[in-house]
Amino acid sequence: MPATDLAVGSPTLRSPLTPVPYRIVKRRVELDDVVTMSVVPVAGEAGEPFHFAHGQFNMLTSFGVGEVAISISSAPAGEGPIEHTVRDVGAVTRALCAAPVGSVIGVRGPFGHHWGIDSIDDAADVVVVGGGIGLAPLRGAIRDLAGRRHRRSGRLFVLAGMRTPAQILFPDDLEAWRTAGIHVGVAVDVGAPGWDGSVGVVTVLLPQAPFEPAGAVALLCGPEIMMRFVARQLVDQGVEPSRIRVSLERNMQCGVGLCGHCQLGPLLLCRDGPVVPYGGVADQLFMERNR
Amino acid sequence: MTGGGGTTPELLRDHGFLAGVSRGTRALLSEGARIVGFDQGALLLREGEDAGTVFLITGGRVAIEIHAPSRGPIVIDTVEPGHVVGLSWMAAPFRWQFDARALEPVEAVAIDTQRLRDDLAAHPEAAAELYQRFSAVLLARLQATRIRLLDLYANAGH
């Protein structure tokens, strides 16, 4: 899983601390407070092609406002635009969400360890669990795994926990995956008129997902408390803890393991994360109180 | 009695809630049990009524809901096959606190709760087995409710 080919010093990085100008070529409002922006390098600024892997993140700059870490929500696809799904939670993300098509933002990255889906055995079932905006860093991996379903004997299960039916992220993607024959489950914390799906914590979806726990790999992203409960239940259902991968988030700033703002226990998450194994790593970090 | 998915003893044998329960306890349950079916939208139980039945869901999803003036039914929870609907029979006043509605065609094993309470009073080993399982259901729902109270997916910046 370590992204040795994508680590600091990669030839894809001109300078890890210098933002590269990217232009917003498409902007899609996903929810009231969530926007997906597609960006391409400003002409003449691209340098080397932008190579990344699912689960990695970029530092996005809203010039004059600030910089923030945002996961890449598209799948690696050669020369096409890359997508970031941004939730308006503060000054920088608010500026990014409001940025119109044609405006220029800064991009530096990609940073961090990825989901490592290329290392997953073709026969292994894959259980993907995303909570709220946590579905965004999983979206590219799900798309890639969905595209491989005809050559993989292992099945794909996509489970999502959302706040309300109106706040379900990527409903079109979820429906497309379901239509493609992928097991898709959504649970909302609070129901609403017309919603006939599951109401409850996302863990209620796990017993209904008929995955084979032996050899199964799980990818989790969402609020940390959610991931703790999901991971424990997966283990209770027979999934090997070392096969569960979680995406952890802290205050990413430099992106290259220099500043220390994202330290979590022995890890600098911008460099050693965001994706880390649950068994032996995240399970212990989850239980630390002084962090 | 036979339903689409098997006889009552077969459904009880295969039900997730009763996994690991002794044969004797299952036989005791079976005596007061019957297979029932509900069309989509039908009520399995209604708030305020006597809690006379507990349902072991074998097929279909059930919504636990409450009716609010001017808002209609508010779904609080959903119960999947392999789980239990109706816990208010366990303690006085033995009255349903919520509605339970079939979100899709539902099949269940319905157990008479007056008879169940009497049987469990007379069979302590069966009581220990079953109350332990019902306690686990109560605990799981309490914990899930606490997690949902955290509103984990809310936008902390707003």
PDB file of all heavy atoms in Angstrom, chain A residues 195-200 204, chain B residues 61-64 75-80 103 141 148:
ATOM      1  N   TRP A 195     -38.824   8.418   1.964  1.00  0.00           N
ATOM      2  CA  TRP A 195     -37.608   7.593   2.067  1.00  0.00           C
ATOM      3  C   TRP A 195     -37.997   6.210   2.568  1.00  0.00           C
ATOM      4  O   TRP A 195     -38.549   6.071   3.662  1.00  0.00           O
ATOM      5  CB  TRP A 195     -36.617   8.243   3.037  1.00  0.00           C
ATOM      6  CG  TRP A 195     -35.423   7.380   3.358  1.00  0.00           C
ATOM      7  CD1 TRP A 195     -35.184   6.705   4.533  1.00  0.00           C
ATOM      8  CD2 TRP A 195     -34.306   7.090   2.520  1.00  0.00           C
ATOM      9  NE1 TRP A 195     -34.002   6.024   4.467  1.00  0.00           N
ATOM     10  CE2 TRP A 195     -33.439   6.241   3.236  1.00  0.00           C
ATOM     11  CE3 TRP A 195     -33.967   7.465   1.214  1.00  0.00           C
ATOM     12  CZ2 TRP A 195     -32.245   5.767   2.698  1.00  0.00           C
ATOM     13  CZ3 TRP A 195     -32.776   6.980   0.672  1.00  0.00           C
ATOM     14  CH2 TRP A 195     -31.940   6.161   1.412  1.00  0.00           C
ATOM     15  N   ASP A 196     -37.728   5.185   1.765  1.00  0.00           N
ATOM     16  CA  ASP A 196     -38.073   3.836   2.200  1.00  0.00           C
ATOM     17  C   ASP A 196     -36.825   2.974   2.383  1.00  0.00           C
ATOM     18  O   ASP A 196     -36.900   1.750   2.441  1.00  0.00           O
ATOM     19  CB  ASP A 196     -39.044   3.167   1.229  1.00  0.00           C
ATOM     20  CG  ASP A 196     -38.468   3.033  -0.166  1.00  0.00           C
ATOM     21  OD1 ASP A 196     -37.313   3.474  -0.376  1.00  0.00           O
ATOM     22  OD2 ASP A 196     -39.149   2.494  -1.045  1.00  0.00           O
ATOM     23  N   GLY A 197     -35.689   3.644   2.483  1.00  0.00           N
ATOM     24  CA  GLY A 197     -34.447   2.917   2.742  1.00  0.00           C
ATOM     25  C   GLY A 197     -34.211   2.765   4.231  1.00  0.00           C
ATOM     26  O   GLY A 197     -35.101   3.002   5.053  1.00  0.00           O
ATOM     27  N   SER A 198     -33.001   2.392   4.573  1.00  0.00           N
ATOM     28  CA  SER A 198     -32.666   2.126   5.968  1.00  0.00           C
ATOM     29  C   SER A 198     -32.503   3.428   6.741  1.00  0.00           C
ATOM     30  O   SER A 198     -31.966   4.414   6.227  1.00  0.00           O
ATOM     31  CB  SER A 198     -31.365   1.319   6.053  1.00  0.00           C
ATOM     32  OG  SER A 198     -31.557   0.037   5.500  1.00  0.00           O
ATOM     33  N   VAL A 199     -32.961   3.406   7.976  1.00  0.00           N
ATOM     34  CA  VAL A 199     -32.761   4.519   8.908  1.00  0.00           C
ATOM     35  C   VAL A 199     -31.996   3.951  10.087  1.00  0.00           C
ATOM     36  O   VAL A 199     -32.440   3.000  10.729  1.00  0.00           O
ATOM     37  CB  VAL A 199     -34.097   5.124   9.371  1.00  0.00           C
ATOM     38  CG1 VAL A 199     -33.851   6.235  10.390  1.00  0.00           C
ATOM     39  CG2 VAL A 199     -34.877   5.666   8.181  1.00  0.00           C
ATOM     40  N   GLY A 200     -30.846   4.547  10.387  1.00  0.00           N
ATOM     41  CA  GLY A 200     -30.024   4.056  11.486  1.00  0.00           C
ATOM     42  C   GLY A 200     -28.561   4.298  11.200  1.00  0.00           C
ATOM     43  O   GLY A 200     -28.197   4.925  10.203  1.00  0.00           O
ATOM     44  N   VAL A 204     -25.814  -0.794  10.395  1.00  0.00           N
ATOM     45  CA  VAL A 204     -26.966  -1.681  10.171  1.00  0.00           C
ATOM     46  C   VAL A 204     -26.897  -2.319   8.791  1.00  0.00           C
ATOM     47  O   VAL A 204     -27.555  -3.329   8.540  1.00  0.00           O
ATOM     48  CB  VAL A 204     -28.319  -0.942  10.327  1.00  0.00           C
ATOM     49  CG1 VAL A 204     -28.443  -0.298  11.692  1.00  0.00           C
ATOM     50  CG2 VAL A 204     -28.550   0.065   9.211  1.00  0.00           C
TER      51      VAL A 204
ATOM     52  N   ARG B  61     -38.334  -5.339   5.089  1.00  0.00           N
ATOM     53  CA  ARG B  61     -37.837  -4.332   6.023  1.00  0.00           C
ATOM     54  C   ARG B  61     -39.010  -3.618   6.697  1.00  0.00           C
ATOM     55  O   ARG B  61     -40.025  -3.357   6.066  1.00  0.00           O
ATOM     56  CB  ARG B  61     -36.976  -3.316   5.272  1.00  0.00           C
ATOM     57  CG  ARG B  61     -36.294  -2.315   6.194  1.00  0.00           C
ATOM     58  CD  ARG B  61     -35.688  -1.148   5.444  1.00  0.00           C
ATOM     59  NE  ARG B  61     -34.593  -1.528   4.592  1.00  0.00           N
ATOM     60  CZ  ARG B  61     -34.559  -1.270   3.297  1.00  0.00           C
ATOM     61  NH1 ARG B  61     -35.517  -0.627   2.718  1.00  0.00           N
ATOM     62  NH2 ARG B  61     -33.530  -1.642   2.584  1.00  0.00           N
ATOM     63  N   VAL B  62     -38.826  -3.326   7.972  1.00  0.00           N
ATOM     64  CA  VAL B  62     -39.882  -2.701   8.770  1.00  0.00           C
ATOM     65  C   VAL B  62     -39.392  -1.349   9.283  1.00  0.00           C
ATOM     66  O   VAL B  62     -38.254  -1.232   9.750  1.00  0.00           O
ATOM     67  CB  VAL B  62     -40.263  -3.599   9.963  1.00  0.00           C
ATOM     68  CG1 VAL B  62     -41.319  -2.922  10.848  1.00  0.00           C
ATOM     69  CG2 VAL B  62     -40.766  -4.962   9.476  1.00  0.00           C
ATOM     70  N   ALA B  63     -40.260  -0.344   9.206  1.00  0.00           N
ATOM     71  CA  ALA B  63     -39.925   0.978   9.754  1.00  0.00           C
ATOM     72  C   ALA B  63     -40.558   1.128  11.130  1.00  0.00           C
ATOM     73  O   ALA B  63     -41.736   0.823  11.308  1.00  0.00           O
ATOM     74  CB  ALA B  63     -40.439   2.076   8.834  1.00  0.00           C
ATOM     75  N   ILE B  64     -39.771   1.568  12.096  1.00  0.00           N
ATOM     76  CA  ILE B  64     -40.295   1.968  13.389  1.00  0.00           C
ATOM     77  C   ILE B  64     -40.549   3.469  13.292  1.00  0.00           C
ATOM     78  O   ILE B  64     -39.624   4.235  12.993  1.00  0.00           O
ATOM     79  CB  ILE B  64     -39.283   1.682  14.523  1.00  0.00           C
ATOM     80  CG1 ILE B  64     -38.792   0.225  14.444  1.00  0.00           C
ATOM     81  CG2 ILE B  64     -39.903   1.991  15.882  1.00  0.00           C
ATOM     82  CD1 ILE B  64     -39.862  -0.803  14.596  1.00  0.00           C
ATOM     83  N   VAL B  75     -39.961   8.284  10.475  1.00  0.00           N
ATOM     84  CA  VAL B  75     -39.255   7.008  10.664  1.00  0.00           C
ATOM     85  C   VAL B  75     -38.071   7.220  11.600  1.00  0.00           C
ATOM     86  O   VAL B  75     -37.216   8.070  11.362  1.00  0.00           O
ATOM     87  CB  VAL B  75     -38.777   6.442   9.314  1.00  0.00           C
ATOM     88  CG1 VAL B  75     -38.004   5.144   9.536  1.00  0.00           C
ATOM     89  CG2 VAL B  75     -39.962   6.203   8.393  1.00  0.00           C
ATOM     90  N   ILE B  76     -38.043   6.438  12.656  1.00  0.00           N
ATOM     91  CA  ILE B  76     -36.982   6.552  13.661  1.00  0.00           C
ATOM     92  C   ILE B  76     -35.898   5.529  13.416  1.00  0.00           C
ATOM     93  O   ILE B  76     -34.715   5.766  13.670  1.00  0.00           O
ATOM     94  CB  ILE B  76     -37.593   6.352  15.068  1.00  0.00           C
ATOM     95  CG1 ILE B  76     -38.604   7.461  15.344  1.00  0.00           C
ATOM     96  CG2 ILE B  76     -36.524   6.281  16.149  1.00  0.00           C
ATOM     97  CD1 ILE B  76     -39.596   7.085  16.407  1.00  0.00           C
ATOM     98  N   ASP B  77     -36.297   4.390  12.905  1.00  0.00           N
ATOM     99  CA  ASP B  77     -35.356   3.280  12.774  1.00  0.00           C
ATOM    100  C   ASP B  77     -35.927   2.326  11.740  1.00  0.00           C
ATOM    101  O   ASP B  77     -37.133   2.354  11.454  1.00  0.00           O
ATOM    102  CB  ASP B  77     -35.223   2.568  14.130  1.00  0.00           C
ATOM    103  CG  ASP B  77     -33.901   1.848  14.293  1.00  0.00           C
ATOM    104  OD1 ASP B  77     -33.148   1.746  13.292  1.00  0.00           O
ATOM    105  OD2 ASP B  77     -33.610   1.402  15.407  1.00  0.00           O
ATOM    106  N   THR B  78     -35.092   1.512  11.168  1.00  0.00           N
ATOM    107  CA  THR B  78     -35.586   0.433  10.321  1.00  0.00           C
ATOM    108  C   THR B  78     -35.015  -0.878  10.830  1.00  0.00           C
ATOM    109  O   THR B  78     -33.903  -0.928  11.356  1.00  0.00           O
ATOM    110  CB  THR B  78     -35.201   0.635   8.841  1.00  0.00           C
ATOM    111  OG1 THR B  78     -33.812   0.929   8.743  1.00  0.00           O
ATOM    112  CG2 THR B  78     -35.990   1.767   8.218  1.00  0.00           C
ATOM    113  N   VAL B  79     -35.806  -1.919  10.671  1.00  0.00           N
ATOM    114  CA  VAL B  79     -35.410  -3.242  11.159  1.00  0.00           C
ATOM    115  C   VAL B  79     -35.360  -4.192   9.969  1.00  0.00           C
ATOM    116  O   VAL B  79     -36.305  -4.262   9.177  1.00  0.00           O
ATOM    117  CB  VAL B  79     -36.394  -3.758  12.231  1.00  0.00           C
ATOM    118  CG1 VAL B  79     -35.976  -5.137  12.723  1.00  0.00           C
ATOM    119  CG2 VAL B  79     -36.480  -2.770  13.391  1.00  0.00           C
ATOM    120  N   GLU B  80     -34.261  -4.895   9.857  1.00  0.00           N
ATOM    121  CA  GLU B  80     -34.010  -5.768   8.714  1.00  0.00           C
ATOM    122  C   GLU B  80     -34.335  -7.223   9.085  1.00  0.00           C
ATOM    123  O   GLU B  80     -34.473  -7.560  10.262  1.00  0.00           O
ATOM    124  CB  GLU B  80     -32.528  -5.676   8.318  1.00  0.00           C
ATOM    125  CG  GLU B  80     -31.978  -4.267   8.186  1.00  0.00           C
ATOM    126  CD  GLU B  80     -32.368  -3.587   6.901  1.00  0.00           C
ATOM    127  OE1 GLU B  80     -32.758  -4.300   5.957  1.00  0.00           O
ATOM    128  OE2 GLU B  80     -32.295  -2.342   6.838  1.00  0.00           O
ATOM    129  N   LEU B 103     -42.227  -1.681   5.155  1.00  0.00           N
ATOM    130  CA  LEU B 103     -41.768  -0.856   4.039  1.00  0.00           C
ATOM    131  C   LEU B 103     -41.838  -1.615   2.721  1.00  0.00           C
ATOM    132  O   LEU B 103     -41.777  -1.023   1.648  1.00  0.00           O
ATOM    133  CB  LEU B 103     -40.319  -0.407   4.284  1.00  0.00           C
ATOM    134  CG  LEU B 103     -40.138   0.668   5.358  1.00  0.00           C
ATOM    135  CD1 LEU B 103     -38.661   0.864   5.657  1.00  0.00           C
ATOM    136  CD2 LEU B 103     -40.761   1.986   4.910  1.00  0.00           C
ATOM    137  N   ARG B 141     -29.582  -1.084  20.240  1.00  0.00           N
ATOM    138  CA  ARG B 141     -30.400   0.062  19.817  1.00  0.00           C
ATOM    139  C   ARG B 141     -30.068   1.301  20.637  1.00  0.00           C
ATOM    140  O   ARG B 141     -30.075   2.419  20.118  1.00  0.00           O
ATOM    141  CB  ARG B 141     -31.883  -0.294  19.896  1.00  0.00           C
ATOM    142  CG  ARG B 141     -32.236  -1.334  18.847  1.00  0.00           C
ATOM    143  CD  ARG B 141     -33.711  -1.545  18.705  1.00  0.00           C
ATOM    144  NE  ARG B 141     -33.940  -2.666  17.777  1.00  0.00           N
ATOM    145  CZ  ARG B 141     -35.102  -3.244  17.585  1.00  0.00           C
ATOM    146  NH1 ARG B 141     -36.168  -2.815  18.249  1.00  0.00           N
ATOM    147  NH2 ARG B 141     -35.222  -4.246  16.740  1.00  0.00           N
ATOM    148  N   ARG B 148     -26.195   8.213  16.885  1.00  0.00           N
ATOM    149  CA  ARG B 148     -26.940   9.128  16.019  1.00  0.00           C
ATOM    150  C   ARG B 148     -27.134  10.481  16.678  1.00  0.00           C
ATOM    151  O   ARG B 148     -27.210  11.507  16.002  1.00  0.00           O
ATOM    152  CB  ARG B 148     -28.260   8.496  15.620  1.00  0.00           C
ATOM    153  CG  ARG B 148     -28.073   7.369  14.608  1.00  0.00           C
ATOM    154  CD  ARG B 148     -29.271   6.492  14.507  1.00  0.00           C
ATOM    155  NE  ARG B 148     -30.431   7.190  13.990  1.00  0.00           N
ATOM    156  CZ  ARG B 148     -31.652   6.681  13.987  1.00  0.00           C
ATOM    157  NH1 ARG B 148     -31.868   5.485  14.485  1.00  0.00           N
ATOM    158  NH2 ARG B 148     -32.649   7.366  13.493  1.00  0.00           N
TER     159      ARG B 148
END
